[in-house]
Amino acid sequence: MQLFYQPDFEQNATNIVFDANESKHMFKVLRKQAGDLIKVTNGRGLLAEGKISIITQKQCIVNVSGFEFKRKKDFYIHIAISPTKSNDRFEWFLEKATEIGIDEITPILTEHSERKKLKLDRGERVIQAAMKQSLKLYKPKLNALTKLDDLLNIAKEDEKFIAHCEDSQYKKQLITSCKKQKSYLVLIGPEGDFGPQEIEKAITKNYKEVSLSEERLRTETAAIVSTHSLNICQLL
Amino acid sequence: MQLFYQPDFEQNATNIVFDANESKHMFKVLRKQAGDLIKVTNGRGLLAEGKISIITQKQCIVNVSGFEFKRKKDFYIHIAISPTKSNDRFEWFLEKATEIGIDEITPILTEHSERKKLKLDRGERVIQAAMKQSLKLYKPKLNALTKLDDLLNIAKEDEKFIAHCEDSQYKKQLITSCKKQKSYLVLIGPEGDFGPQEIEKAITKNYKEVSLSEERLRTETAAIVSTHSLNICQLL
């Protein structure tokens, strides 16, 4: 099964129309033809099945024959991460987190962040490709680069965690601190870690201090390991 | 702290001598000088501290002033994986698994494997770099490409698992199937999965069938997720 993505259709659609970019890819690279049966998701739980009626380099139209809807999971994983200097490492995190299961990603600007700017379009493409490849019907949400302070003021998740490397008697392992079927937010700092004031402020906002591993992990590895730990938590 | 690797010294060494390759890197790239204090591991639990006495492009000699020895963990993780077509994805697995914590890796040749040959030297370098970067004193062992049948005949781990995508009433989640403080072997198949006969044969050799996630994972993601699950199992 090969999955396509078109964000705009709803359950009453009779046709799904792809834009020029996606149509060209389907026509030239994937060599799709009129009459081919394909599956399309809107990235919001809806899967449509249909037959290609028209396909050119500029346009692809699918006649919809049926729908399936997948309900959301009963937990929600949001990771806020200070983007790595290397684009590759950040994009690798986006790909793997999408595969393993993540709902929302917020790149954050912290005291020791090395990247002050971030283009979202490449990251968004990585997420869409990983969603299609791993046959997901929900597209993770990628937010714009946000100041840590602003995020601390607006976050509404049930369980909030800050993963840092400072010594603290209150720090526990994430896997033993989280409860099932909740919404979660985990803050992952830059290579130079969060500053002491940042940690202090998160604690006053009821973030629990957590450790992710006995090992020293890179930023992007810490983010993946958090994502996987919260998924595993649901199975225990 | 910056960690260096020299595999040959033991706890009675007074000097550690680096080869031309590593010496050149230390001298030209890291700009180390005579008199600098450095730390060196032999990748077998031993950490030496000492002062650089001589450094040129061809040779670096360290006068050892002291040792620490770290005991092995009380569990052992061995992942056998059919290498991905893309070198990048396989090397990414080696790097991340080393960071998260792995002891042994065996690339395997299976019925649907796309890669029939594998050069070990690049993979070995990736493992060494990740070991130094994440300050580990044990270097994971990378075995040569091995036929699945041969591995099935020689594996001696306490708990052996085969992760596959076929339906099976006996399949459980890896995280709920493993016991603490054991040696583990997990078989991870190629993109086209293990063949039915391969799965059958593993079962007769007492491998338990496991699933790693509710999600469809790429080969290298499945291998990372297994490595992390077995590490997490020790914390529960």
Side-chain angles (χ1 to χ4, degrees), chain A residues 32-94:
Chain A
K32 291 288 164 201
Q33 301 180 333
D36 285 355
L37 281 172
I38 68 167
K39 293 190 175 189
V40 191
T41 179
N42 67 357
R44 293 173 281 120
L46 199 57
L47 180 73
E49 201 170 327
K51 197 181 274 187
I52 295 177
S53 61
I54 297 174
I55 186 162
T56 69
Q57 284 202 45
K58 292 190 177 158
Q59 197 185 39
C60 172
I61 300 177
V62 174
N63 289 336
V64 178
S65 53
F67 291 101
E68 277 174 49
F69 182 73
K70 188 179 176 181
R71 286 180 57 179
K72 282 204 170 205
K73 296 169 301 180
D74 55 4
F75 60 102
Y76 189 91
I77 301 177
H78 179 184
I79 304 284
I81 171 179
S82 174
T84 54
K85 249 191 301 186
S86 135
N87 249 329
D88 280 3
R89 291 183 177 276
F90 184 64
E91 289 172 7
W92 167 84
F93 156 67
L94 296 176

Side-chain angles (χ1 to χ4, degrees), chain A residues 189-205:
Chain A
E191 224 173 284
D193 205 358
F194 291 110
Q197 290 181 333
E198 291 178 322
I199 296 172
E200 207 44 58
K201 185 146 187 196
I203 292 169
T204 64
K205 297 268 183 187

Side-chain angles (χ1 to χ4, degrees), chain B residues 72-80 101-106 138-143 155-161 178-186 226-227 230-231 233-234:
Chain B
K72 284 206 168 201
K73 297 168 301 181
D74 55 6
F75 61 100
Y76 188 90
I77 301 177
H78 180 186
I79 304 284
I102 197 167
D103 300 284
E104 187 171 348
I105 299 134
T106 303
Y138 283 91
K139 190 181 74 60
K141 186 177 172 200
L142 177 61
N143 298 319
K156 294 270 186 293
E157 280 77 4
D158 300 329
E159 301 201 337
K160 295 180 287 187
F161 304 97
C178 56
K179 294 194 191 72
K180 270 185 176 183
Q181 300 177 353
K182 300 285 181 186
S183 60
Y184 314 95
L185 170 59
V186 186
S226 304
T227 307
L230 293 171
N231 273 285
C233 163
Q234 315 305 318

Side-chain angles (χ1 to χ4, degrees), chain A residues 222-235:
Chain A
I224 283 298
V225 154
S226 304
T227 308
H228 183 234
S229 296
L230 293 171
N231 273 288
I232 275 195
C233 164
Q234 315 307 318
L235 303 172

Side-chain angles (χ1 to χ4, degrees), chain A:
Chain A
M1 171 180 159
Q2 199 171 19
L3 183 65
F4 294 89
Y5 172 59
Q6 207 277 23
D8 303 321
F9 72 91
E10 304 297 340
Q11 192 141 9
N12 55 6
T14 51
N15 288 314
I16 297 171
V17 182
F18 288 92
D19 66 16
N21 232 338
E22 187 74 357
S23 298
K24 187 174 175 185
H25 181 72
M26 292 167 82
F27 185 65
K28 297 285 278 187
V29 181
L30 303 173
R31 299 180 183 274
K32 291 288 164 201
Q33 301 180 333
D36 285 355
L37 281 172
I38 68 167
K39 293 190 175 189
V40 191
T41 179
N42 67 357
R44 293 173 281 120
L46 199 57
L47 180 73
E49 201 170 327
K51 197 181 274 187
I52 295 177
S53 61
I54 297 174
I55 186 162
T56 69
Q57 284 202 45
K58 292 190 177 158
Q59 197 185 39
C60 172
I61 300 177
V62 174
N63 289 336
V64 178
S65 53
F67 291 101
E68 277 174 49
F69 182 73
K70 188 179 176 181
R71 286 180 57 179
K72 282 204 170 205
K73 296 169 301 180
D74 55 4
F75 60 102
Y76 189 91
I77 301 177
H78 179 184
I79 304 284
I81 171 179
S82 174
T84 54
K85 249 191 301 186
S86 135
N87 249 329
D88 280 3
R89 291 183 177 276
F90 184 64
E91 289 172 7
W92 167 84
F93 156 67
L94 296 176
E95 177 184 309
K96 292 308 172 205
T98 302
E99 257 182 79
I100 292 171
I102 197 167
D103 300 284
E104 187 171 349
I105 298 134
T106 303
I108 45 173
L109 201 57
T110 68
E111 193 184 331
H112 299 143
S113 286
E114 293 178 290
R115 289 189 66 177
K116 314 280 185 202
K117 286 185 182 172
L118 186 72
K119 285 190 184 163
L120 293 182
D121 50 346
R122 277 183 57 148
E124 181 62 31
R125 281 202 298 275
V126 169
I127 288 175
Q128 289 181 19
M131 172 189 68
K132 291 189 281 186
Q133 205 276 337
S134 58
L135 309 181
K136 299 237 176 345
L137 302 189
Y138 284 91
K139 190 182 72 60
K141 187 177 170 199
L142 176 61
N143 298 318
L145 192 62
T146 303
K147 283 184 191 153
L148 176 60
D149 250 17
D150 295 344
L151 182 66
L152 291 177
N153 286 329
I154 59 171
K156 294 270 186 293
E157 280 78 3
D158 301 329
E159 302 202 335
K160 296 179 288 188
F161 304 98
I162 180 166
H164 66 77
C165 307
E166 296 281 312
D167 285 332
S168 161
Q169 53 174 319
Y170 300 107
K171 224 164 33 166
K172 286 188 186 168
Q173 293 287 342
L174 176 60
I175 189 68
T176 56
S177 309
C178 56
K179 293 193 190 73
K180 269 185 179 185
Q181 300 178 350
K182 301 283 181 189
S183 60
Y184 315 95
L185 170 60
V186 186
L187 309 179
I188 306 287
E191 224 173 284
D193 205 358
F194 291 110
Q197 290 181 333
E198 291 178 322
I199 296 172
E200 207 44 58
K201 185 146 187 196
I203 292 169
T204 64
K205 297 268 183 187
N206 295 317
Y207 284 68
K208 289 185 202 154
E209 302 170 84
V210 287
S211 173
L212 302 170
S213 162
E214 305 282 307
E215 311 292 343
R216 173 167 129 161
L217 302 176
R218 281 176 181 270
T219 296
E220 75 278 9
T221 317
I224 283 298
V225 154
S226 304
T227 308
H228 183 234
S229 296
L230 293 171
N231 273 288
I232 275 195
C233 164
Q234 315 307 318
L235 303 172
L236 297 176

Side-chain angles (χ1 to χ4, degrees), chain B residues 139-170:
Chain B
K139 190 181 74 60
K141 186 177 172 200
L142 177 61
N143 298 319
L145 192 63
T146 303
K147 283 185 193 152
L148 176 61
D149 249 17
D150 294 344
L151 181 67
L152 290 177
N153 286 330
I154 59 171
K156 294 270 186 293
E157 280 77 4
D158 300 329
E159 301 201 337
K160 295 180 287 187
F161 304 97
I162 181 166
H164 67 77
C165 306
E166 296 281 313
D167 285 332
S168 161
Q169 54 173 318
Y170 299 108

